[in-house]
Each structure stands twice: as C-alpha cells, then as structure tokens.
Amino acid sequence: MKEYKAIIYQEGMLGSLFFGASKVNPVRFSEFLNKNAREGWRVVTMEKDIRRMLLFFAREAYLVILEKEV
C-alpha cells in the first residue's frame, strides 16, 4: 500500500516584497527534496506555478506530489 502527500513549496514573502518577484532557491529546494527522500518519500510529479501575492507581487512555487510505501 502507498501513502501520498502533496506539498506546495515556495519561498518566503520578503523576497517578493523587496524584489517584485521571488524565485525558488535551488539549494534550499534540493535540501527539502533530500530531507523527504531520507524519510522514504519519492517524488511522483511536480508542477511549477507562479502565485500572486498582494495583487502586484508574484512568487514561484512548486506543487510536489510525494509517495512512499507503508
């Protein structure tokens, strides 16, 4: 049997407020994925999204679907 979890990964709001747009930091995103992999989670799929914040600001986000055997 498999267990799934969906996570929206995005950077903090401050980058968007100061720079007008915030992109995901690849080093922190890798650390996030590796931490979940050590817990037994495997990425099934992932989709990039640009999310609006406070009407004028945008920030990059990823919807990540993970699975593991139970």
Side-chain angles (χ1 to χ4, degrees):
M1 186 169 153
K2 295 185 181 190
E3 180 180 355
Y4 294 90
K5 73 176 175 179
I7 299 172
I8 296 176
Y9 181 87
Q10 60 191 6
E11 293 295 327
M13 191 183 315
L14 290 179
S16 298
L17 291 175
F18 290 128
F19 303 119
S22 182
K23 298 198 179 260
V24 168
N25 180 327
V27 173
R28 285 201 300 237
F29 190 49
S30 295
E31 290 170 358
F32 161 78
L33 291 174
N34 288 326
K35 177 182 156 275
N36 281 289
R38 282 190 293 275
E39 295 172 4
W41 293 99
R42 184 178 76 85
V43 174
V44 176
T45 187
M46 139 174 41
E47 185 167 331
K48 181 178 172 182
D49 185 26
I50 302 298
R51 304 181 68 115
R52 283 266 170 230
M53 179 187 70
L54 301 175
L55 195 62
F56 298 109
F57 304 101
R59 64 178 163 173
E60 192 176 77
Y62 285 91
L63 171 63
V64 183
I65 307 295
L66 303 167
E67 78 173 0
K68 76 174 180 178
E69 288 289 331
V70 181

